[in-house]
Amino acid sequence: MTRVWKWNRPVTVREVLEDLQRERSIAYTTVMTVLDNLHQKGWVRREAEGRAYRYEAVSTRASYAAALMNEAWSRSDNPAAALVAFFGMMSEEQRQALHDAVRIVQGPGPGETAAAPVDTAREAAADTTGEAVADTSAETGGESSDETAAPPKGPDENPASEQGGTGR
């Protein structure tokens, strides 16, 4: 998934293979099998192009990360304590990004303008995901206008678990 998200466009098995081979030796059939498995699980969609397929992510990396965080938080027997512990692990930069994101969702407080936090959060999101954040996020209650849905949930549907935790 890392390779598919990296390019943010439909990719072929050959493209992914060539990129992975820069780091290690890997067989074409291995990459083809993994992409086929991701397709069967609903993580990527594919379109035939000649005798090959082009694979494209169903969800953005940001949506996937958000779904994972939501799932982990919802499984906690004490969600408030889990959040406090999570916030304690964050760097100052991450806490500022969180603060900016909350301000986008809630809107500016009395006497504040939304311009600075929205721009800061948008830049942070683009830096960490390589994706632009939709301009409509503040107007839709924080919902992205991205048409892709969050990926399927469940331990046997996580591509990272099939790949030794690499997410590739």
Side-chain angles (χ1 to χ4, degrees):
M1 285 306 300
T2 298
R3 306 303 164 141
V4 176
W5 282 322
K6 180 175 114 177
W7 289 314
N8 196 28
R9 63 170 174 78
V11 298
T12 64
V13 171
R14 178 72 53 202
E15 289 173 315
V16 175
L17 173 71
E18 289 172 359
D19 193 42
L20 287 170
Q21 285 181 332
R22 293 180 190 158
E23 298 171 15
R24 65 178 193 259
S25 178
I26 188 167
Y28 181 93
T29 54
T30 301
V31 177
M32 183 176 62
T33 298
V34 170
L35 285 169
D36 185 59
N37 288 342
L38 292 171
H39 175 257
Q40 289 177 24
K41 292 182 177 200
W43 287 76
V44 295
R45 63 181 145 257
R46 70 182 181 195
E47 282 192 36
E49 184 176 282
R51 293 177 40 196
Y53 287 108
R54 285 208 170 265
Y55 294 86
E56 183 175 19
V58 169
S59 176
T60 65
R61 182 177 222 146
S63 294
Y64 171 71
L68 285 177
M69 290 187 287
N70 186 55
E71 182 178 356
W73 183 58
S74 67
R75 290 183 179 191
S76 173
D77 59 347
N78 187 342
L83 284 174
V84 169
F86 180 64
F87 297 156
M89 295 177 195
M90 295 174 128
S91 68
E92 183 56 39
E93 186 176 89
Q94 289 170 322
R95 281 192 291 276
Q96 184 60 50
L98 174 65
H99 177 73
D100 291 345
V102 168
R103 290 173 71 184
I104 289 169
V105 171
Q106 292 180 340
E112 294 180 331
T113 63
V118 169
D119 292 342
T120 303
R122 205 171 270 130
E123 289 169 10
D127 287 345
T128 59
T129 66
E131 303 158 359
V133 174
D135 288 337
T136 59
S137 60
E139 299 159 10
T140 60
E143 299 277 332
S144 171
S145 64
D146 186 0
E147 294 179 13
T148 58
K153 296 181 189 175
D156 25 315
E157 295 185 12
N158 182 351
S161 65
E162 295 175 22
Q163 305 297 317
T166 63
R168 291 187 221 161

